[in-house]
Every structure is written in C-alpha cells, then in structure tokens.
Amino acid sequence: QGGKHDVGRDLFDQASKINPQHQQVWQAWGLMEWKLNNVDAARDLFQRGVWANPRSRITGSVFQAWGMMEAEEGNPSLARKLYKLGVKADPRSPATWNVWIRLEEQEGRFERAKELRMLEMESNERVTTYTGVEIGREDVEMASSVSGTLQWTVNQISKWFTSTTTAESQSESSESKPLPFAEEGE
C-alpha cells in the first residue's frame, strides 16, 4: 500500500505546485497524511492550506479538518482554538459548529455546547431546519437539553406536516410535494 500513498503524495505535490492557492489540495493531503499517522506532516500541510488563502471562507474547512485531527490526537484545547478560527473564517458553516459542539459534549462541557448553539444561531441571519421550518431560540434551547431532544424533533416534524397539510388543502393541483430533505431537482 505504500506505493499507492507515494503516488498520492506525488499527485498532491504536483497539484500544489500547479495551484499553490488551492486550499482543498492542502487539506486533502493533510487528511491523507493524518490517516497514515504522519501527524506532524499533516499539521504542516494544514498550515500551508491556511496560508494559501487566509481570507477565504474555505479556510474554515481547513481549520475544521485540522481541529478534528487534533481532537482525535488528544489535543482538545488546540482543537477548540482551531474550531474557533474555523467559525471566524466561515461563521455559516454548520459542519464546523457541529464538530465544535460535539467536542464540548464529549468533554462533558454541556453548558459550553449550549452556548455555542446560541452563538451559531446569532451568527446566522435566519436559521432553518432541513424541513425549511424556521426555528427560534426557544427551540434550540429545548433541543440542547437531552430530555428535550425527542420532543423538539417531534415538534419539528409536526410543524412540517401541519404546513404541508395546510398547503396541500389550499392547493387545487394534485402535484406531489417533495420530501422535506430531498435536494432540489430530485
């Protein structure tokens, strides 16, 4: 398998020379090195990815990948700092917010996880669930408590069914409604 990884390294190296600003190349290369237990090399590659275009929103995903590596390598403090930089670079990235919140929960810092959910909401002008139903601060507070999660999910499903049923009864066409989680065009 070493041969495959050497070929991968050569391809990443070529791509990084063709376009040194292409952050996804540095990120993917860093992830490969991490998975091969070359943590120091991965750190260097993630750093290069950040410096390739530090003002880009993509920088947030480089910080996220780097933070995930640090968390799994037993460096939660550094992971937190990287996630913070990630949401600073791209405050609308739910993936970065989610891994940061998950880290806090895994570390038993539930109050901090709740604060981060609130910060995520505040950083977005409008927060919607995958069903398209707008949610408010009280919904997030309910969802952040372990006992409220099931009830919150039921409430969201109920809202969607209510809005779907109302819309269907008002519509005279018999077109089928797309599922709330279906991609447009599906």
Side-chain angles (χ1 to χ4, degrees), residues 42-143:
R43 285 183 181 117
D44 179 59
L45 293 164
F46 289 135
Q47 181 65 56
R48 289 168 142 189
V50 169
W51 284 112
N53 193 354
R55 297 198 194 300
S56 166
R57 286 181 56 196
I58 296 170
T59 304
S61 64
V62 177
F63 279 126
Q64 175 198 343
W66 190 355
M68 290 173 68
M69 180 190 78
E70 295 297 348
E72 285 196 31
E73 292 297 319
N75 303 313
S77 180
L78 179 55
R80 280 185 191 93
K81 291 174 185 173
L82 293 166
Y83 293 149
K84 184 176 183 177
L85 291 168
V87 297
K88 192 172 189 178
D90 185 6
R92 295 187 58 103
S93 168
T96 305
W97 283 105
N98 288 337
V99 293
W100 189 3
I101 290 166
R102 186 176 41 188
L103 170 69
E104 299 301 349
E105 290 172 340
Q106 288 170 345
E107 295 282 310
R109 298 175 51 158
F110 299 106
E111 199 56 38
R112 179 62 177 150
K114 184 176 177 180
E115 290 170 9
L116 290 173
R117 284 188 185 90
M118 296 304 209
L119 287 171
E120 179 184 15
M121 273 190 61
E122 291 168 7
S123 73
N124 292 299
E125 299 166 321
R126 183 173 170 226
V127 178
T128 57
T129 66
Y130 66 88
T131 63
V133 177
E134 191 166 332
I135 60 174
R137 183 179 294 261
E138 65 280 351
D139 292 315
V140 172
E141 289 180 69
M142 183 188 307

